[in-house]
Structures are given as structure tokens and as C-alpha cells.
């Protein structure tokens, strides 16, 4: 145990860091704090920063009186569906790009980059028109297709990065040993790429889980709302019960927080690959 | 982890090899590559290219009741003659400029603070990233409660420390609403920039700073002659990406203000949404979307140009 000596400069550094951290995290503290208060206390002035009456009552009430469970289920189905579709397609594509000389590969990758930068509000117009004419509004399929459209470019991009780290000699060795291309891909390369595949799948899931505009436009029936739309919709109601609303927000935010815990290592590459939904 | 300069540019792809290398079974199956790529390619054409073409087409049409007719560029003319569009363009540009400037300044400051922290950096990094992890729609919902005019904690805290003399309706007055939206976006956007610049700072060899210290350079000089030149590429790329992301941003506005009051927060995506799904003018909305796309593409081209020249300079 070596003694840590704090110079004045270090002290200032930590004061600034902690101040910034307080501003960053305070909204989350307030969300949790409010969600644990009983109804009347929410509308107290001055507000209580630490309540002696904390309880999970608001969580129980919001689950019983609102279809929060249903929203969560919708989000889960759509996010898992979009993730599965994107990861399968992008694993194949990333393999193709990193193993073979493909004419126009560079142009395709550039196209991926541009699709990641498209304003989604432009695309929701034709999506709504197409889905309405096909009778697919308020279906999981419409949302899965929409979510995959912005998730796929991102996952192809990230997986190319992962597949590149697997030497091509491994494929060649497998082929010389008599494996077919597809066998090589499924039996040799996919297992090796598993950490990358898991990371990309989790990121894709988060992007889908967090998305809002698409579901806002493509669902009209409250039973089909995903969690972000369902919760934002509660705000518009007469006399919002803020403790219940914050309880619902905690429930919606928690899965994402947990997933990010697993992904810390890949954050930078994911961010630059466009995991950022504006 | 990949080298950051690498991850900031495009993924490397196999290059055509000169001459014939004796790699058994690989040259003969060149077409396999296309088979692997085809599913993703076809899917993308269906879910992105087709809708894009349809959006362009819609921008040239007008629907009145049950009949749709081709009107050429008439929607564009109407949009460009409307006051709402110019207000929206101004709101978008000022919103983006303000937010990106603040993201960059605060992000760089935080990155420099965290760069010298020896322990707990990983924990701090995750803690600072939380606003960016949470869905924008959920984050905005939290802020609606924080900014609530009567019981919101922001009013309470600000008046307690004497920043305001009476409780404000933060989202009810045009200038306050605009400021609030910027504040929320800054809270959300700083982590992204911080993370990129932190990665950039870690590529600078410590020896450079040590040498400068020995030569008697002040911290300010070190920042100016070591940090900034080394970070230049990261700063330019991060701000370009950030501009693209901020100019498309809709979720915060959708949840918090819907573009009001009186258009004070009606950024282009919000105008587009309101035109399409509140006023039911799909043709004009699509025209606004195409104009927004042109704006975004300008910055995308800039971004690609930047990363490409960088990739060529750093011989890989």
C-alpha cells in the first residue's frame, strides 16, 4: 500500500470531476428518489431529498394500473427480433467482406456509413405509407423491419472490425483440412467471433430498445406501444402521477444500464461505429 | 480493442492481390464473397433504398382527399416560401451550433480531467456515460419532471441558491424552452464527445509532456503545443459526427415540447414530423426531409473526406 499524496492540482481535479459527476447523475438520483416516494410527498414543497417514507408502492401501482408489462414485452419482442435479424445478416456480410475480394466492397461500406447518418424522420414517412398500405401498422413485423434498417448498417460495420481480427489463415487451414466454406464459417469462425458477436448483439439490442420515433409513428394501438413510447405517452395524461412515471422510467432504463456494464470494453469502437442514436 | 485512429476510419477490406498467389481453394471461389454479402445487401435495398426513393417520390406529389397527383417541385416551393421552414432552419442551426460547441468544450474539459486519473477511470467513464446510455425519450421524461413549473426540483434549487427570483415555466416560454432543450441535449451529448476525446488523449505519448515539463513549458503551453495539435483530428471528427447527430435529433423535442411554444424549439425534424403526422401534408413533409437530408449529407461528405485523408496519411 503506497501512500497517495494529493497535490493541490490533484485536489482541484477531483473537485471538478465530482462536481461534473453530480450534475451528470443528479437526474437519475431524482428519478429513483421520486419513484420511491408516496404520492402526496411528490407534490411537497420544498421537495424531500431523502425521504423516510421510501417504498416500492409506486412500482406496484404503475404495474397494476398501466400496461407497463405489456410495453416491456413489446419492446423485448421487437428488440430481440431486430437484433437477431441484423446480427445474422451482418455476420454473413462481414465474413464476405473480410475473406474475399469483392468488387465494390469499398463503395458498399461507404453506403453503410451514409445510411447510418440518414435522418430517421425522413424515412418514417415512406415507412408509414408502406406499412399502412400493407396493413402492417401496429404489428411487430413493421417495427422489427424498421429497427433492423438502422441497426444493420451499424452491426455490419462493427462486425467487420471484429472479423478482421481473426486471421484468414485459420479459414485456409480449415479448408485445406477439407471443410467447405459454409462449414468453415459456422464451425470455425463463428465460435471464434463469439465475443464480438455478443457485443454487437447487445449494442444492437440497446439501440432498438432505446429507439422512439419509429414506434411513435408505426403504432397507434396502445397495446402495441413499446416502452419508450408508452412512458412518454403517460406524460400527456391529466395530472401526472410523477412517482409512478419515474418508477416506470427506472424499469425502462435498468436493462440498458445492466447491459452497458458488460460492454465497457467495446464502448469506443461501438460509439465510432455509430452506436449513437442522436 | 482496435486502435482508435483505426476505428474512426472505415473498416479495412481485403485488397485485390497482385499476381496469382498459390492459395488453394481461395482464388477459385471468389464469387462466394458475393453470396455471403447478398442477404444483407438485398435487405438494405428493401428497407433503406426503396423507402428513400419513395420519400423522394412523395416529395413530388400532393394528396388531397383520395386522389394523389404529381406536382413536380411545387412542395419545395411551398416549403421554401413558408415562414415556418425558415424559422425551423434557424432553430435547427442555432440549436446544433450551441449544443455542439458546448459538447466539445465540456467534453474536452472532462476528458482532460479524466485522462490523468489513475484508478477508478473505468468506473468514472461508465458513470459519466449514463446520460448517453438511457433512451433519449426516457431521459427527456426525467427532465420534464425536473423542470416541472410548480413542483420541479430545478425551480426549487435555482431559487434556493438565488439564480432565479420566481419559479419559471421552463418549457412554457419561447426563450426558456429553447435554453432548456439545449441544456438537456448538452447533458445527453457530452459523454459521447468525452469518450472520443479521451481515447484521443490516450494516444499522446506521456514522454512528450515530460519533455516539455523539463524544458519549463507551462500547463497552458503544453495544452497549446502538445494536446491540441495531437487532438486536432479527433476534435474535427468528433465535432463533425456530433453535428450530424445533433441536427437529426428529434426524440428530446418530441417528448419535451413537440416544437413549441410558438415554434421556438421546432427543429427541422420536428417541423417534418408535425407537417406529416399532425397536418397530414406528406408531400411537403417529404420535401422538408429531402432538404434536411441534403444538409446532413453535406456534413457526411465532409466526415468521409476527413477520415479518408487521415487514413491515407497514417500509412497502415
Amino acid at each position: 500500500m503506497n501512500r497517495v499524496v494529493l497535490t493541490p492540482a490533484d485536489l482541484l481535479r477531483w473537485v471538478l470531476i465530482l462536481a461534473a459527476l453530480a450534475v451528470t447523475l443528479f437526474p437519475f438520483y431524482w428519478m429513483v428518489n421520486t419513484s420511491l416516494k408516496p404520492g402526496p410527498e411528490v407534490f411537497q414543497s420544498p421537495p424531500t431529498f431523502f425521504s423516510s417514507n421510501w417504498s416500492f408502492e409506486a412500482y406496484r401501482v404503475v404495474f397494476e394500473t398501466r400496461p407497463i408489462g405489456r410495453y416491456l414485452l413489446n419492446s423485448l419482442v421487437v428488440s430481440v427480433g431486430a437484433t437477431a435479424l441484423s446480427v445474422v445478416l451482418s455476420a454473413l456480410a462481414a465474413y464476405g467482406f473480410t475473406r474475399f475480394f469483392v468488387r465494390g466492397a469499398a463503395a458498399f461500406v461507404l453506403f453503410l456509413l451514409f445510411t447510418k447518418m440518414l435522418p430517421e424522420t425522413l424515412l418514417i414517412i415512406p415507412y408509414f405509407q408502406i406499412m399502412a398500405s400493407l396493413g402492417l401498422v401496429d404489428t411487430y413485423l413493421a417495427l422489427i423491419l424498421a429497427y433492423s434498417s438502422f441497426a444493420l448498417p451499424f452491426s455490419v460495420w462493427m462486425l467487420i472490425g471484429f472479423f478482421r481480427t481473426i486471421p484468414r489463415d485459420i479459414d485456409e487451414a480449415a479448408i485445406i483440412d477439407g471443410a467447405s466454406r459454409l462449414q468453415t464459417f459456422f464451425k470455425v469462425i463463428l465460435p471464434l467471433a463469439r465475443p464480438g458477436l455478443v457485443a454487437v448483439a447487445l449494442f444492437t439490442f440497446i439501440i432498438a430498445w432505446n429507439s422512439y420515433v419509429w414506434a411513435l409513428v408505426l403504432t397507434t394501438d396502445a397495446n402495441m406501444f413499446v416502452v419508450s413510447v408508452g412512458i412518454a405517452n403517460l406524460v400527456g395524461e391529466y395530472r401526472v402521477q410523477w412517482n409512478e412515471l419515474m418508477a416506470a422510467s427506472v424499469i425502462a432504463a435498468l436493462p440498458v444500464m445492466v447491459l452497458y456494464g458488460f460492454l465497457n470494453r467495446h464502448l469506443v469502437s461501438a460509439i465510432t461505429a455509430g452506436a449513437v442514436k442522436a | 480493442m482496435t486502435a482508435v485512429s483505426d476505428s474512426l476510419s472505415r473498416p479495412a477490406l481485403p485488397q485485390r492481390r497482385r499476381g496469382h498467389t498459390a492459395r488453394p481453394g481461395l482464388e477459385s471461389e471468389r464469387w462466394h464473397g458475393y453470396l455471403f454479402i447478398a442477404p444483407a445487401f438485398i435487405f438494405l435495398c428493401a428497407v433503406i433504398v426503396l423507402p428513400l426513393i419513395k420519400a423522394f417520390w412523395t416529395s413530388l406529389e400532393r394528396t388531397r382527399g383520395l386522389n394523389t397527383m404529381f406536382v413536380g417541385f411545387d412542395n419545395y416551393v411551398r416549403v421554401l416560401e413558408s415562414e415556418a421552414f425558415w424559422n425551423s432552419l434557424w432553430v435547427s442551426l442555432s440549436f446544433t451550433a450551441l449544443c455542439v460547441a458546448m459538447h466539445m468544450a465540456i467534453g474536452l474539459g472532462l476528458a482532460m480531467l479524466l485522462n490523468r486519473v489513475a484508478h477508478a477511470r473505468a468506473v468514472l467513464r461508465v458513470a459519466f456515460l449514463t446520460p448517453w446510455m438511457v433512451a433519449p425519450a426516457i431521459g427527456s421524461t426525467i427532465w420534464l419532471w425536473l423542470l416541472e413549473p410548480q413542483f420541479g426540483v430545478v425551480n426549487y434549487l435555482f431559487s434556493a441558491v438565488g439564480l432565479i427570483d420566481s419559479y419559471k415555466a421552463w418549457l412554457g416560454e419561447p426563450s426558456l424552452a429553447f435554453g432548456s432543450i439545449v441544456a438537456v441535449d448538452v447533458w445527453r451529448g457530452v459523454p459521447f464527445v468525452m469518450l472520443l476525446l479521451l481515447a484521443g488523449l490516450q494516444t499522446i505519448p506521456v514522454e512528450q509532456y515530460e519533455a516539455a515539463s523539463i524544458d519549463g513549458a507551462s500547463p497552458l503551453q503544453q495544452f497549446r503545443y502538445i494536446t491540441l495539435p495531437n487532438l486536432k483530428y479527433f476534435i474535427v471528427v468528433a465535432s463533425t459526427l456530433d453535428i450530424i447527430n445533433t441536427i437529426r435529433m428529434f426524440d428530446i423535442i418530441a417528448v419535451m415540447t413537440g416544437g413549441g411554444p410558438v415554434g421556438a424549439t421546432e427543429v427541422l425534424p420536428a417541423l417534418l414530423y408535425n407537417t406529416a403526422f399532425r397536418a397530414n401534408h406528406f408531400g411537403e413533409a417529404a420535401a422538408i426531409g429531402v432538404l434536411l437530408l441534403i444538409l446532413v449529407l453535406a456534413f457526411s461528405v465532409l466526415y468521409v473526406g476527413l477520415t479518408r485523408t487521415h487514413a491515407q496519411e497514417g500509412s497502415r
Side-chain angles (χ1 to χ4, degrees), chain B residues 10-305:
Chain B
R10 286 184 303 286
L13 301 165
Q15 298 297 315
R16 186 203 296 267
R17 283 189 302 274
R18 289 250 170 100
H20 274 292
T21 44
R23 292 200 160 194
L26 292 188
E27 292 295 316
S28 59
E29 52 164 29
R30 194 168 266 180
W31 54 275
H32 274 132
Y34 297 96
L35 285 187
F36 276 101
I37 292 163
F41 181 77
I42 293 165
F43 185 78
L44 277 178
C45 286
V47 297
I48 288 182
V49 181
L50 275 178
L52 263 183
I53 293 169
K54 178 144 177 70
F56 276 115
W57 193 249
T58 303
S59 76
L60 304 175
E61 288 180 331
R62 179 161 309 139
T63 304
R64 283 279 174 275
L66 286 176
N67 40 20
T68 299
M69 52 187 190
F70 181 85
V71 294
F73 287 100
D74 197 37
N75 287 321
Y76 291 86
V77 173
R78 277 174 184 240
V79 165
L80 291 171
E81 281 177 349
S82 75
E83 223 162 284
F85 173 78
W86 293 103
N87 167 65
S88 189
L89 185 66
W90 166 245
V91 171
S92 253
L93 292 178
S94 49
F95 174 81
T96 305
L98 264 174
C99 289
V100 172
M102 288 167 90
H103 291 162
M104 296 309 296
I106 301 170
L108 180 58
L110 272 180
M112 286 175 66
L113 284 172
L114 289 183
N115 191 36
R116 296 288 177 88
V117 172
H119 12 252
R121 188 162 53 201
V123 175
L124 281 173
R125 200 171 71 162
V126 173
F128 273 114
L129 275 172
T130 37
W132 174 81
M133 297 174 189
V134 173
I138 301 295
S140 305
T141 307
I142 301 171
W143 277 96
L144 277 178
W145 169 227
L146 295 168
L147 296 169
E148 211 268 351
Q150 227 181 321
F151 307 101
V153 72
V154 170
N155 268 330
Y156 169 76
L157 288 174
F158 278 16
S159 49
V161 298
L163 273 173
I164 50 175
D165 47 15
S166 64
Y167 277 20
K168 305 265 185 243
W170 295 103
L171 302 174
E173 289 171 41
S175 59
L176 284 182
F178 183 79
S180 303
I181 296 290
V182 170
V184 174
D185 191 68
V186 167
W187 173 77
R188 256 200 64 70
V190 161
F192 161 71
V193 173
M194 179 201 82
L195 199 67
L196 282 186
L197 296 184
L198 191 56
L201 283 171
Q202 289 177 8
T203 61
I204 306 176
V206 181
E207 293 77 22
Q208 289 193 18
Y209 289 106
E210 286 166 356
S213 288
I214 293 165
D215 293 343
S218 69
L220 208 61
Q221 285 173 316
Q222 290 183 25
F223 175 74
R224 203 184 140 185
Y225 295 107
I226 301 172
T227 312
L228 273 188
N230 274 304
L231 269 192
K232 201 178 114 192
Y233 172 71
F234 286 89
I235 290 173
V236 171
V237 165
S239 47
T240 311
L241 269 180
D242 197 30
I243 289 169
I244 294 167
N245 285 328
T246 309
I247 214 159
R248 298 183 302 172
M249 226 289 310
F250 177 57
D251 292 10
I252 294 175
I253 283 109
V255 172
M256 293 185 72
T257 66
V262 290
T265 58
E266 198 167 42
V267 290
L268 284 169
L271 178 70
L272 189 163
Y273 179 87
N274 291 336
T275 307
F277 299 99
R278 296 207 187 284
N280 270 324
H281 293 163
F282 277 63
E284 280 167 47
I288 295 164
V290 172
L291 295 169
L292 174 62
L293 178 67
I294 292 168
L295 205 58
V296 172
L297 279 183
F299 287 105
S300 308
V301 169
L302 178 68
Y303 175 79
V304 170

Side-chain angles (χ1 to χ4, degrees), chain A residues 4 13-14 16-17 20-21 23-28 30-31 34 42-47 49 85 89 92-93 95-103 105-106 108-130 145 148-149 152-153 156-157 160-161 164 168-169 172 175-176 181-182 185 206 209-213 216-217 227-228 231-232 235 242 245-246 249 252-253 256-257 260 264-265 267-269 271-272 275-278, chain B residues 1-2 4 6-17 23-26 29-30 32-34 36-37 39-41 43-44 47-49 51-52 54-55 58 110 112-114 116-117 119-120 122 124-138 141-146 148 150-151 153 156-157 167 187-188 192 195-196 199 241 244-246 248-251 254-255 269 272-273 276-277 282 285-286 289-290 292-293 296-297 300-301 303-304 308:
Chain A
V4 182
R13 173 186 306 276
W14 278 105
L16 287 172
I17 287 177
L21 204 55
V23 174
T24 303
L25 295 180
F26 179 77
F28 295 109
W30 206 245
M31 163 175 76
T34 305
V42 173
F43 297 109
Q44 249 178 36
S45 202
F49 282 75
L85 186 58
L89 292 177
L92 289 165
Y95 185 78
F97 277 126
T98 52
R99 266 43 189 179
F100 302 91
F101 172 77
V102 175
R103 202 177 298 281
F108 187 82
V109 170
L110 207 59
F111 168 69
L112 286 178
L113 181 67
F114 279 117
T115 56
K116 281 187 333 202
M117 296 178 176
L118 287 174
E120 51 187 2
T121 37
L122 167 64
L123 285 175
I124 57 175
I125 296 174
Y127 261 84
F128 177 76
Q129 292 170 312
I130 294 166
L145 289 174
S148 304
S149 74
L152 184 69
V156 173
W157 194 274
I160 287 178
R164 224 180 46 208
R168 286 161 75 184
D169 304 345
E172 284 160 33
I175 284 171
I176 290 166
R181 257 296 160 191
L182 276 179
F185 173 70
I206 290 170
W209 182 272
N210 281 353
S211 107
Y212 173 75
V213 183
L216 181 69
V217 169
V227 76
S228 58
I231 287 175
V235 179
W242 287 104
L245 191 58
M246 290 299 112
S249 302
V256 172
M257 299 279 191
Y260 266 111
N264 198 7
R265 226 159 39 85
L267 276 178
V268 174
S269 48
I271 283 190
T272 53
V276 190
K277 295 306 294 176
Chain B
M1 212 186 88
T2 49
V4 176
D6 243 31
S7 59
L8 280 180
S9 50
R10 286 184 303 286
L13 301 165
Q15 298 297 315
R16 186 203 296 267
R17 283 189 302 274
R23 292 200 160 194
L26 292 188
E29 52 164 29
R30 194 168 266 180
H32 274 132
Y34 297 96
F36 276 101
I37 292 163
F41 181 77
F43 185 78
L44 277 178
V47 297
I48 288 182
V49 181
L52 263 183
K54 178 144 177 70
T58 303
L110 272 180
M112 286 175 66
L113 284 172
L114 289 183
R116 296 288 177 88
V117 172
H119 12 252
L124 281 173
R125 200 171 71 162
V126 173
F128 273 114
L129 275 172
T130 37
W132 174 81
M133 297 174 189
V134 173
I138 301 295
T141 307
I142 301 171
W143 277 96
L144 277 178
W145 169 227
L146 295 168
E148 211 268 351
Q150 227 181 321
F151 307 101
V153 72
Y156 169 76
L157 288 174
Y167 277 20
W187 173 77
R188 256 200 64 70
F192 161 71
L195 199 67
L196 282 186
L241 269 180
I244 294 167
N245 285 328
T246 309
R248 298 183 302 172
M249 226 289 310
F250 177 57
D251 292 10
V255 172
L272 189 163
Y273 179 87
F277 299 99
F282 277 63
V290 172
L292 174 62
L293 178 67
V296 172
L297 279 183
S300 308
V301 169
Y303 175 79
V304 170
R308 175 169 289 181

Side-chain angles (χ1 to χ4, degrees), chain A residues 76 83 105 107 137 155 223 255:
Chain A
L76 189 69
T83 301
V137 172
S155 50
N223 273 324

Side-chain angles (χ1 to χ4, degrees), chain A:
Chain A
M1 184 79 201
N2 48 358
R3 294 241 316 277
V4 182
V5 184
L6 272 182
T7 63
D10 283 338
L11 199 64
L12 178 66
R13 173 186 306 276
W14 278 105
V15 166
L16 287 172
I17 287 177
L18 292 176
L21 204 55
V23 174
T24 303
L25 295 180
F26 179 77
F28 295 109
Y29 170 72
W30 206 245
M31 163 175 76
V32 174
N33 177 27
T34 305
S35 74
L36 294 169
K37 286 179 185 180
E41 199 174 322
V42 173
F43 297 109
Q44 249 178 36
S45 202
T48 41
F49 282 75
F50 297 98
S51 171
S52 49
N53 308 320
W54 274 353
S55 75
F56 285 99
E57 185 64 10
Y59 290 82
R60 191 184 63 78
V61 172
V62 85
F63 257 101
E64 281 178 5
T65 59
R66 314 274 181 200
I68 299 290
R70 175 80 207 201
Y71 298 160
L72 290 167
L73 175 73
N74 292 341
S75 274
L76 189 69
V77 170
V78 173
S79 304
V80 168
T83 301
L85 186 58
S86 316
V87 172
V88 168
L89 292 177
S90 55
L92 289 165
Y95 185 78
F97 277 126
T98 52
R99 266 43 189 179
F100 302 91
F101 172 77
V102 175
R103 202 177 298 281
F108 187 82
V109 170
L110 207 59
F111 168 69
L112 286 178
L113 181 67
F114 279 117
T115 56
K116 281 187 333 202
M117 296 178 176
L118 287 174
E120 51 187 2
T121 37
L122 167 64
L123 285 175
I124 57 175
I125 296 174
Y127 261 84
F128 177 76
Q129 292 170 312
I130 294 166
M131 296 304 171
S133 64
L134 295 174
L136 287 176
V137 172
D138 286 326
T139 60
Y140 287 139
L141 180 63
L143 288 180
I144 288 172
L145 289 174
Y147 284 17
S148 304
S149 74
F150 58 80
L152 184 69
F154 158 77
S155 50
V156 173
W157 194 274
M158 262 197 98
L159 277 179
I160 287 178
F162 276 115
F163 276 34
R164 224 180 46 208
T165 61
I166 303 171
R168 286 161 75 184
D169 304 345
I170 294 178
D171 308 51
E172 284 160 33
I175 284 171
I176 290 166
D177 287 344
S180 73
R181 257 296 160 191
L182 276 179
Q183 281 174 325
T184 307
F185 173 70
F186 282 109
K187 297 250 163 73
V188 183
I189 300 302
L190 279 191
L192 281 175
R194 188 185 292 173
L197 287 171
V198 170
V200 171
L202 291 180
F203 272 117
T204 310
F205 180 89
I206 290 170
I207 295 174
W209 182 272
N210 281 353
S211 107
Y212 173 75
V213 183
W214 297 92
L216 181 69
V217 169
L218 295 174
T219 53
T220 53
D221 173 0
N223 273 324
M224 291 302 295
F225 284 171
V226 295
V227 76
S228 58
V229 173
I231 287 175
N233 232 38
L234 290 180
V235 179
E237 295 193 357
Y238 170 72
R239 178 88 194 211
V240 187
Q241 288 301 328
W242 287 104
N243 55 340
E244 293 170 25
L245 191 58
M246 290 299 112
S249 302
V250 170
I251 294 162
L254 215 52
V256 172
M257 299 279 191
V258 172
L259 288 184
Y260 266 111
F262 296 117
L263 290 169
N264 198 7
R265 226 159 39 85
H266 302 291
L267 276 178
V268 174
S269 48
I271 283 190
T272 53
V276 190
K277 295 306 294 176

